[in-house]
Amino acid sequence: LMIIPILDRVNSLNQTALWTFNLGILLRHKIPVAEALTLVSQESPDVQIRSKLTDATNKIIAGSSPAEVFKEMDRIPSIAARILAAGDRSGNLPEACQRVHQILSTRYKSQVQKVITFAEPIAVIVAGAFVLLIALSVMLPIAELGGLL
């Protein structure tokens, strides 16, 4: 299903919301940023996000600031990167993670609702086509028998 771009974006929003939530919890419990990112990346089911988080961890270990690293991450929305960077610079990274989680969770729910709204009419049309197919498969043999008599 990730071949469909809209579903990939929706999944990315959800995964980013989840890892920022988990990162915020770990940081609130005074776990260092690099170690927290390592733990979060190990739990991410999305291979691309796991790769980006691992790269971010390596850059932080190499000496880059989390603010710089978050701005460079291309798999997260720019607003999330800016909030995380601002949170790092101000010393409020755990709170920034929670705020990003709230924003992205809201966006995720909105995107899911849009996908459902779009998919419902298509599902009705497909179901109608199947009903028509079944009706025709029953009626055609009856009509042919009626023509033979």
mmCIF file of all heavy atoms in Angstrom, residues 37-84:
data_model
loop_
_atom_site.group_PDB
_atom_site.id
_atom_site.type_symbol
_atom_site.label_atom_id
_atom_site.label_comp_id
_atom_site.label_asym_id
_atom_site.label_seq_id
_atom_site.Cartn_x
_atom_site.Cartn_y
_atom_site.Cartn_z
ATOM 1 N N LEU A 37 17.622 8.822 20.776
ATOM 2 C CA LEU A 37 17.379 8.621 19.345
ATOM 3 C C LEU A 37 17.698 7.198 18.921
ATOM 4 O O LEU A 37 17.004 6.629 18.080
ATOM 5 C CB LEU A 37 18.197 9.607 18.515
ATOM 6 C CG LEU A 37 17.593 10.986 18.319
ATOM 7 C CD1 LEU A 37 18.590 11.919 17.637
ATOM 8 C CD2 LEU A 37 16.315 10.909 17.512
ATOM 9 N N THR A 38 18.735 6.623 19.497
ATOM 10 C CA THR A 38 19.077 5.227 19.196
ATOM 11 C C THR A 38 17.935 4.301 19.599
ATOM 12 O O THR A 38 17.523 3.435 18.822
ATOM 13 C CB THR A 38 20.373 4.812 19.921
ATOM 14 O OG1 THR A 38 21.437 5.652 19.483
ATOM 15 C CG2 THR A 38 20.726 3.366 19.646
ATOM 16 N N LEU A 39 17.416 4.500 20.793
ATOM 17 C CA LEU A 39 16.310 3.662 21.265
ATOM 18 C C LEU A 39 15.064 3.850 20.393
ATOM 19 O O LEU A 39 14.398 2.881 20.045
ATOM 20 C CB LEU A 39 15.990 4.000 22.722
ATOM 21 C CG LEU A 39 17.070 3.630 23.742
ATOM 22 C CD1 LEU A 39 16.738 4.216 25.104
ATOM 23 C CD2 LEU A 39 17.216 2.124 23.829
ATOM 24 N N VAL A 40 14.770 5.093 20.046
ATOM 25 C CA VAL A 40 13.590 5.384 19.226
ATOM 26 C C VAL A 40 13.741 4.773 17.834
ATOM 27 O O VAL A 40 12.798 4.205 17.291
ATOM 28 C CB VAL A 40 13.344 6.904 19.155
ATOM 29 C CG1 VAL A 40 12.320 7.251 18.105
ATOM 30 C CG2 VAL A 40 12.903 7.429 20.510
ATOM 31 N N SER A 41 14.946 4.877 17.272
ATOM 32 C CA SER A 41 15.153 4.344 15.920
ATOM 33 C C SER A 41 15.014 2.826 15.900
ATOM 34 O O SER A 41 14.513 2.255 14.934
ATOM 35 C CB SER A 41 16.510 4.763 15.356
ATOM 36 O OG SER A 41 17.565 4.136 16.040
ATOM 37 N N GLN A 42 15.430 2.170 16.960
ATOM 38 C CA GLN A 42 15.314 0.708 17.025
ATOM 39 C C GLN A 42 13.865 0.252 17.078
ATOM 40 O O GLN A 42 13.544 -0.846 16.648
ATOM 41 C CB GLN A 42 16.062 0.177 18.248
ATOM 42 C CG GLN A 42 17.555 0.308 18.137
ATOM 43 C CD GLN A 42 18.267 -0.023 19.436
ATOM 44 O OE1 GLN A 42 17.647 -0.182 20.482
ATOM 45 N NE2 GLN A 42 19.586 -0.110 19.368
ATOM 46 N N GLU A 43 12.982 1.104 17.569
ATOM 47 C CA GLU A 43 11.570 0.743 17.696
ATOM 48 C C GLU A 43 10.730 1.137 16.484
ATOM 49 O O GLU A 43 9.583 0.743 16.385
ATOM 50 C CB GLU A 43 10.978 1.391 18.955
ATOM 51 C CG GLU A 43 11.561 0.846 20.236
ATOM 52 C CD GLU A 43 11.384 -0.656 20.372
ATOM 53 O OE1 GLU A 43 10.271 -1.150 20.097
ATOM 54 O OE2 GLU A 43 12.347 -1.342 20.736
ATOM 55 N N SER A 44 11.298 1.904 15.567
ATOM 56 C CA SER A 44 10.521 2.374 14.417
ATOM 57 C C SER A 44 10.325 1.253 13.398
ATOM 58 O O SER A 44 11.292 0.660 12.920
ATOM 59 C CB SER A 44 11.220 3.551 13.743
ATOM 60 O OG SER A 44 10.499 3.964 12.611
ATOM 61 N N PRO A 45 9.074 0.960 13.006
ATOM 62 C CA PRO A 45 8.829 -0.071 12.005
ATOM 63 C C PRO A 45 9.094 0.414 10.580
ATOM 64 O O PRO A 45 9.257 -0.399 9.677
ATOM 65 C CB PRO A 45 7.346 -0.409 12.188
ATOM 66 C CG PRO A 45 6.750 0.807 12.783
ATOM 67 C CD PRO A 45 7.828 1.459 13.592
ATOM 68 N N ASP A 46 9.159 1.720 10.387
ATOM 69 C CA ASP A 46 9.385 2.297 9.058
ATOM 70 C C ASP A 46 10.887 2.330 8.775
ATOM 71 O O ASP A 46 11.646 2.991 9.474
ATOM 72 C CB ASP A 46 8.799 3.710 8.999
ATOM 73 C CG ASP A 46 8.826 4.306 7.615
ATOM 74 O OD1 ASP A 46 9.854 4.178 6.932
ATOM 75 O OD2 ASP A 46 7.816 4.919 7.230
ATOM 76 N N VAL A 47 11.315 1.613 7.758
ATOM 77 C CA VAL A 47 12.741 1.479 7.443
ATOM 78 C C VAL A 47 13.368 2.826 7.112
ATOM 79 O O VAL A 47 14.483 3.125 7.557
ATOM 80 C CB VAL A 47 12.948 0.481 6.275
ATOM 81 C CG1 VAL A 47 14.398 0.406 5.874
ATOM 82 C CG2 VAL A 47 12.420 -0.885 6.657
ATOM 83 N N GLN A 48 12.656 3.659 6.350
ATOM 84 C CA GLN A 48 13.216 4.961 5.978
ATOM 85 C C GLN A 48 13.393 5.854 7.191
ATOM 86 O O GLN A 48 14.422 6.519 7.329
ATOM 87 C CB GLN A 48 12.324 5.645 4.942
ATOM 88 C CG GLN A 48 12.338 4.952 3.605
ATOM 89 C CD GLN A 48 11.363 5.590 2.618
ATOM 90 O OE1 GLN A 48 10.372 6.173 3.003
ATOM 91 N NE2 GLN A 48 11.674 5.451 1.342
ATOM 92 N N ILE A 49 12.410 5.888 8.069
ATOM 93 C CA ILE A 49 12.524 6.709 9.272
ATOM 94 C C ILE A 49 13.609 6.156 10.186
ATOM 95 O O ILE A 49 14.401 6.910 10.758
ATOM 96 C CB ILE A 49 11.165 6.815 9.994
ATOM 97 C CG1 ILE A 49 10.232 7.699 9.159
ATOM 98 C CG2 ILE A 49 11.325 7.373 11.394
ATOM 99 C CD1 ILE A 49 8.851 7.860 9.699
ATOM 100 N N ARG A 50 13.685 4.835 10.302
ATOM 101 C CA ARG A 50 14.746 4.231 11.121
ATOM 102 C C ARG A 50 16.117 4.640 10.603
ATOM 103 O O ARG A 50 17.011 4.989 11.375
ATOM 104 C CB ARG A 50 14.605 2.707 11.111
ATOM 105 C CG ARG A 50 15.556 2.023 12.060
ATOM 106 C CD ARG A 50 15.425 0.505 12.082
ATOM 107 N NE ARG A 50 14.047 0.055 12.007
ATOM 108 C CZ ARG A 50 13.629 -0.869 11.149
ATOM 109 N NH1 ARG A 50 14.463 -1.438 10.305
ATOM 110 N NH2 ARG A 50 12.367 -1.252 11.143
ATOM 111 N N SER A 51 16.271 4.641 9.287
ATOM 112 C CA SER A 51 17.542 5.035 8.685
ATOM 113 C C SER A 51 17.862 6.503 8.977
ATOM 114 O O SER A 51 18.993 6.841 9.328
ATOM 115 C CB SER A 51 17.485 4.798 7.175
ATOM 116 O OG SER A 51 18.598 5.350 6.549
ATOM 117 N N LYS A 52 16.850 7.371 8.850
ATOM 118 C CA LYS A 52 17.061 8.803 9.120
ATOM 119 C C LYS A 52 17.404 9.042 10.583
ATOM 120 O O LYS A 52 18.255 9.859 10.906
ATOM 121 C CB LYS A 52 15.816 9.618 8.740
ATOM 122 C CG LYS A 52 15.502 9.598 7.269
ATOM 123 C CD LYS A 52 16.574 10.304 6.466
ATOM 124 C CE LYS A 52 16.225 10.261 4.988
ATOM 125 N NZ LYS A 52 17.256 10.824 4.150
ATOM 126 N N LEU A 53 16.739 8.320 11.476
ATOM 127 C CA LEU A 53 17.032 8.481 12.899
ATOM 128 C C LEU A 53 18.428 7.962 13.249
ATOM 129 O O LEU A 53 19.123 8.550 14.071
ATOM 130 C CB LEU A 53 15.974 7.770 13.747
ATOM 131 C CG LEU A 53 14.585 8.404 13.731
ATOM 132 C CD1 LEU A 53 13.589 7.504 14.448
ATOM 133 C CD2 LEU A 53 14.611 9.784 14.343
ATOM 134 N N THR A 54 18.832 6.880 12.611
ATOM 135 C CA THR A 54 20.185 6.357 12.835
ATOM 136 C C THR A 54 21.222 7.353 12.329
ATOM 137 O O THR A 54 22.229 7.606 13.008
ATOM 138 C CB THR A 54 20.350 4.988 12.135
ATOM 139 O OG1 THR A 54 19.356 4.090 12.646
ATOM 140 C CG2 THR A 54 21.728 4.410 12.370
ATOM 141 N N ASP A 55 20.980 7.936 11.157
ATOM 142 C CA ASP A 55 21.885 8.971 10.637
ATOM 143 C C ASP A 55 21.944 10.165 11.587
ATOM 144 O O ASP A 55 23.018 10.725 11.835
ATOM 145 C CB ASP A 55 21.439 9.446 9.247
ATOM 146 C CG ASP A 55 21.611 8.385 8.181
ATOM 147 O OD1 ASP A 55 22.335 7.388 8.433
ATOM 148 O OD2 ASP A 55 21.011 8.542 7.088
ATOM 149 N N ALA A 56 20.783 10.560 12.105
ATOM 150 C CA ALA A 56 20.729 11.692 13.035
ATOM 151 C C ALA A 56 21.536 11.383 14.299
ATOM 152 O O ALA A 56 22.290 12.231 14.787
ATOM 153 C CB ALA A 56 19.283 12.014 13.387
ATOM 154 N N THR A 57 21.390 10.174 14.795
ATOM 155 C CA THR A 57 22.139 9.762 15.985
ATOM 156 C C THR A 57 23.634 9.833 15.723
ATOM 157 O O THR A 57 24.399 10.358 16.544
ATOM 158 C CB THR A 57 21.748 8.321 16.386
ATOM 159 O OG1 THR A 57 20.350 8.279 16.599
ATOM 160 C CG2 THR A 57 22.478 7.889 17.631
ATOM 161 N N ASN A 58 24.073 9.322 14.580
ATOM 162 C CA ASN A 58 25.501 9.340 14.244
ATOM 163 C C ASN A 58 26.032 10.771 14.128
ATOM 164 O O ASN A 58 27.150 11.058 14.560
ATOM 165 C CB ASN A 58 25.753 8.571 12.945
ATOM 166 C CG ASN A 58 25.492 7.082 13.122
ATOM 167 O OD1 ASN A 58 25.555 6.556 14.230
ATOM 168 N ND2 ASN A 58 25.181 6.415 12.031
ATOM 169 N N LYS A 59 25.234 11.677 13.559
ATOM 170 C CA LYS A 59 25.659 13.074 13.442
ATOM 171 C C LYS A 59 25.760 13.737 14.813
ATOM 172 O O LYS A 59 26.682 14.520 15.056
ATOM 173 C CB LYS A 59 24.687 13.848 12.557
ATOM 174 C CG LYS A 59 24.789 13.481 11.093
ATOM 175 C CD LYS A 59 23.764 14.243 10.263
ATOM 176 C CE LYS A 59 23.834 13.814 8.803
ATOM 177 N NZ LYS A 59 22.808 14.466 7.975
ATOM 178 N N ILE A 60 24.835 13.424 15.689
ATOM 179 C CA ILE A 60 24.885 13.998 17.040
ATOM 180 C C ILE A 60 26.086 13.462 17.799
ATOM 181 O O ILE A 60 26.788 14.208 18.484
ATOM 182 C CB ILE A 60 23.565 13.730 17.792
ATOM 183 C CG1 ILE A 60 22.448 14.571 17.171
ATOM 184 C CG2 ILE A 60 23.701 14.033 19.280
ATOM 185 C CD1 ILE A 60 21.066 14.243 17.670
ATOM 186 N N ILE A 61 26.352 12.173 17.662
ATOM 187 C CA ILE A 61 27.534 11.579 18.310
ATOM 188 C C ILE A 61 28.807 12.208 17.756
ATOM 189 O O ILE A 61 29.771 12.439 18.491
ATOM 190 C CB ILE A 61 27.530 10.044 18.127
ATOM 191 C CG1 ILE A 61 26.408 9.425 18.967
ATOM 192 C CG2 ILE A 61 28.874 9.434 18.516
ATOM 193 C CD1 ILE A 61 26.174 7.947 18.710
ATOM 194 N N ALA A 62 28.797 12.537 16.457
ATOM 195 C CA ALA A 62 29.974 13.157 15.828
ATOM 196 C C ALA A 62 30.150 14.621 16.230
ATOM 197 O O ALA A 62 31.166 15.219 15.915
ATOM 198 C CB ALA A 62 29.863 13.045 14.314
ATOM 199 N N GLY A 63 29.140 15.210 16.906
ATOM 200 C CA GLY A 63 29.310 16.571 17.400
ATOM 201 C C GLY A 63 28.321 17.600 16.878
ATOM 202 O O GLY A 63 28.352 18.742 17.307
ATOM 203 N N SER A 64 27.461 17.224 15.982
ATOM 204 C CA SER A 64 26.457 18.164 15.493
ATOM 205 C C SER A 64 25.407 18.402 16.576
ATOM 206 O O SER A 64 25.144 17.525 17.401
ATOM 207 C CB SER A 64 25.756 17.618 14.249
ATOM 208 O OG SER A 64 26.663 17.490 13.187
ATOM 209 N N SER A 65 24.815 19.570 16.549
ATOM 210 C CA SER A 65 23.757 19.844 17.526
ATOM 211 C C SER A 65 22.455 19.218 17.037
ATOM 212 O O SER A 65 22.213 19.122 15.831
ATOM 213 C CB SER A 65 23.576 21.348 17.711
ATOM 214 O OG SER A 65 22.911 21.900 16.597
ATOM 215 N N PRO A 66 21.611 18.808 17.956
ATOM 216 C CA PRO A 66 20.326 18.252 17.547
ATOM 217 C C PRO A 66 19.513 19.233 16.688
ATOM 218 O O PRO A 66 18.814 18.815 15.769
ATOM 219 C CB PRO A 66 19.610 17.959 18.874
ATOM 220 C CG PRO A 66 20.729 17.705 19.831
ATOM 221 C CD PRO A 66 21.814 18.662 19.396
ATOM 222 N N ALA A 67 19.643 20.528 16.967
ATOM 223 C CA ALA A 67 18.915 21.536 16.177
ATOM 224 C C ALA A 67 19.300 21.450 14.706
ATOM 225 O O ALA A 67 18.435 21.450 13.820
ATOM 226 C CB ALA A 67 19.188 22.934 16.717
ATOM 227 N N GLU A 68 20.583 21.345 14.421
ATOM 228 C CA GLU A 68 21.059 21.230 13.033
ATOM 229 C C GLU A 68 20.582 19.928 12.403
ATOM 230 O O GLU A 68 20.151 19.896 11.247
ATOM 231 C CB GLU A 68 22.588 21.272 12.992
ATOM 232 C CG GLU A 68 23.205 22.574 13.410
ATOM 233 C CD GLU A 68 24.720 22.466 13.574
ATOM 234 O OE1 GLU A 68 25.288 21.377 13.305
ATOM 235 O OE2 GLU A 68 25.328 23.463 13.993
ATOM 236 N N VAL A 69 20.668 18.867 13.159
ATOM 237 C CA VAL A 69 20.308 17.547 12.647
ATOM 238 C C VAL A 69 18.827 17.482 12.307
ATOM 239 O O VAL A 69 18.443 16.976 11.254
ATOM 240 C CB VAL A 69 20.700 16.449 13.667
ATOM 241 C CG1 VAL A 69 20.157 15.097 13.258
ATOM 242 C CG2 VAL A 69 22.213 16.385 13.817
ATOM 243 N N PHE A 70 17.982 18.012 13.183
ATOM 244 C CA PHE A 70 16.539 17.976 12.927
ATOM 245 C C PHE A 70 16.174 18.781 11.688
ATOM 246 O O PHE A 70 15.295 18.399 10.925
ATOM 247 C CB PHE A 70 15.756 18.485 14.136
ATOM 248 C CG PHE A 70 15.792 17.554 15.317
ATOM 249 C CD1 PHE A 70 16.004 18.050 16.591
ATOM 250 C CD2 PHE A 70 15.610 16.188 15.164
ATOM 251 C CE1 PHE A 70 16.033 17.204 17.687
ATOM 252 C CE2 PHE A 70 15.647 15.331 16.248
ATOM 253 C CZ PHE A 70 15.862 15.847 17.513
ATOM 254 N N LYS A 71 16.854 19.902 11.473
ATOM 255 C CA LYS A 71 16.566 20.717 10.290
ATOM 256 C C LYS A 71 16.954 19.997 9.003
ATOM 257 O O LYS A 71 16.361 20.236 7.957
ATOM 258 C CB LYS A 71 17.292 22.058 10.371
ATOM 259 C CG LYS A 71 16.629 23.028 11.312
ATOM 260 C CD LYS A 71 17.316 24.376 11.271
ATOM 261 C CE LYS A 71 16.601 25.374 12.146
ATOM 262 N NZ LYS A 71 17.243 26.692 12.124
ATOM 263 N N GLU A 72 17.942 19.116 9.068
ATOM 264 C CA GLU A 72 18.409 18.396 7.885
ATOM 265 C C GLU A 72 17.561 17.161 7.562
ATOM 266 O O GLU A 72 17.642 16.640 6.454
ATOM 267 C CB GLU A 72 19.866 17.952 8.083
ATOM 268 C CG GLU A 72 20.848 19.092 8.142
ATOM 269 C CD GLU A 72 22.256 18.631 8.499
ATOM 270 O OE1 GLU A 72 22.471 17.404 8.635
ATOM 271 O OE2 GLU A 72 23.123 19.498 8.652
ATOM 272 N N MET A 73 16.767 16.698 8.508
ATOM 273 C CA MET A 73 15.969 15.482 8.282
ATOM 274 C C MET A 73 14.871 15.786 7.274
ATOM 275 O O MET A 73 14.043 16.664 7.504
ATOM 276 C CB MET A 73 15.371 14.968 9.592
ATOM 277 C CG MET A 73 16.414 14.412 10.536
ATOM 278 S SD MET A 73 15.695 13.810 12.078
ATOM 279 C CE MET A 73 14.977 12.282 11.529
ATOM 280 N N ASP A 74 14.866 15.051 6.167
ATOM 281 C CA ASP A 74 13.892 15.319 5.106
ATOM 282 C C ASP A 74 12.655 14.439 5.201
ATOM 283 O O ASP A 74 11.712 14.622 4.449
ATOM 284 C CB ASP A 74 14.540 15.164 3.735
ATOM 285 C CG ASP A 74 15.056 13.761 3.483
ATOM 286 O OD1 ASP A 74 15.097 12.961 4.420
ATOM 287 O OD2 ASP A 74 15.422 13.476 2.332
ATOM 288 N N ARG A 75 12.609 13.529 6.113
ATOM 289 C CA ARG A 75 11.460 12.625 6.217
ATOM 290 C C ARG A 75 10.408 13.168 7.194
ATOM 291 O O ARG A 75 9.356 12.582 7.345
ATOM 292 C CB ARG A 75 11.952 11.245 6.659
ATOM 293 C CG ARG A 75 10.951 10.150 6.589
ATOM 294 C CD ARG A 75 10.723 9.661 5.195
ATOM 295 N NE ARG A 75 9.755 8.568 5.257
ATOM 296 C CZ ARG A 75 8.936 8.251 4.308
ATOM 297 N NH1 ARG A 75 8.963 8.906 3.186
ATOM 298 N NH2 ARG A 75 8.089 7.273 4.440
ATOM 299 N N ILE A 76 10.699 14.292 7.840
ATOM 300 C CA ILE A 76 9.724 14.880 8.754
ATOM 301 C C ILE A 76 9.271 16.226 8.202
ATOM 302 O O ILE A 76 10.023 16.891 7.490
ATOM 303 C CB ILE A 76 10.292 15.027 10.184
ATOM 304 C CG1 ILE A 76 11.484 15.972 10.225
ATOM 305 C CG2 ILE A 76 10.662 13.686 10.761
ATOM 306 C CD1 ILE A 76 11.974 16.262 11.618
ATOM 307 N N PRO A 77 8.036 16.632 8.514
ATOM 308 C CA PRO A 77 7.558 17.933 8.027
ATOM 309 C C PRO A 77 8.438 19.072 8.535
ATOM 310 O O PRO A 77 8.995 19.004 9.633
ATOM 311 C CB PRO A 77 6.152 18.025 8.611
ATOM 312 C CG PRO A 77 5.747 16.623 8.903
ATOM 313 C CD PRO A 77 7.018 15.892 9.239
ATOM 314 N N SER A 78 8.548 20.118 7.740
ATOM 315 C CA SER A 78 9.436 21.225 8.095
ATOM 316 C C SER A 78 9.014 21.905 9.395
ATOM 317 O O SER A 78 9.865 22.334 10.176
ATOM 318 C CB SER A 78 9.504 22.239 6.959
ATOM 319 O OG SER A 78 8.224 22.780 6.718
ATOM 320 N N ILE A 79 7.722 22.002 9.655
ATOM 321 C CA ILE A 79 7.265 22.618 10.906
ATOM 322 C C ILE A 79 7.760 21.821 12.106
ATOM 323 O O ILE A 79 8.178 22.384 13.118
ATOM 324 C CB ILE A 79 5.722 22.777 10.932
ATOM 325 C CG1 ILE A 79 5.266 23.511 12.180
ATOM 326 C CG2 ILE A 79 5.020 21.444 10.873
ATOM 327 C CD1 ILE A 79 5.500 24.976 12.144
ATOM 328 N N ALA A 80 7.755 20.495 11.982
ATOM 329 C CA ALA A 80 8.234 19.641 13.063
ATOM 330 C C ALA A 80 9.729 19.845 13.280
ATOM 331 O O ALA A 80 10.190 19.959 14.423
ATOM 332 C CB ALA A 80 7.936 18.177 12.757
ATOM 333 N N ALA A 81 10.479 19.922 12.188
ATOM 334 C CA ALA A 81 11.924 20.138 12.299
ATOM 335 C C ALA A 81 12.221 21.480 12.964
ATOM 336 O O ALA A 81 13.119 21.575 13.807
ATOM 337 C CB ALA A 81 12.566 20.074 10.919
ATOM 338 N N ARG A 82 11.465 22.504 12.598
ATOM 339 C CA ARG A 82 11.695 23.838 13.190
ATOM 340 C C ARG A 82 11.344 23.857 14.674
ATOM 341 O O ARG A 82 12.062 24.457 15.482
ATOM 342 C CB ARG A 82 10.911 24.896 12.429
ATOM 343 C CG ARG A 82 11.476 25.151 11.036
ATOM 344 C CD ARG A 82 10.920 26.423 10.422
ATOM 345 N NE ARG A 82 9.464 26.437 10.339
ATOM 346 C CZ ARG A 82 8.756 26.091 9.273
ATOM 347 N NH1 ARG A 82 9.386 25.688 8.189
ATOM 348 N NH2 ARG A 82 7.440 26.147 9.280
ATOM 349 N N ILE A 83 10.255 23.209 15.045
ATOM 350 C CA ILE A 83 9.877 23.172 16.460
ATOM 351 C C ILE A 83 10.917 22.401 17.271
ATOM 352 O O ILE A 83 11.310 22.822 18.364
ATOM 353 C CB ILE A 83 8.469 22.554 16.636
ATOM 354 C CG1 ILE A 83 7.412 23.503 16.073
ATOM 355 C CG2 ILE A 83 8.186 22.247 18.103
ATOM 356 C CD1 ILE A 83 6.019 22.904 16.006
ATOM 357 N N LEU A 84 11.371 21.262 16.741
ATOM 358 C CA LEU A 84 12.392 20.478 17.442
ATOM 359 C C LEU A 84 13.695 21.258 17.570
ATOM 360 O O LEU A 84 14.337 21.239 18.629
ATOM 361 C CB LEU A 84 12.620 19.149 16.735
ATOM 362 C CG LEU A 84 11.464 18.150 16.793
ATOM 363 C CD1 LEU A 84 11.741 16.959 15.891
ATOM 364 C CD2 LEU A 84 11.195 17.704 18.222
#
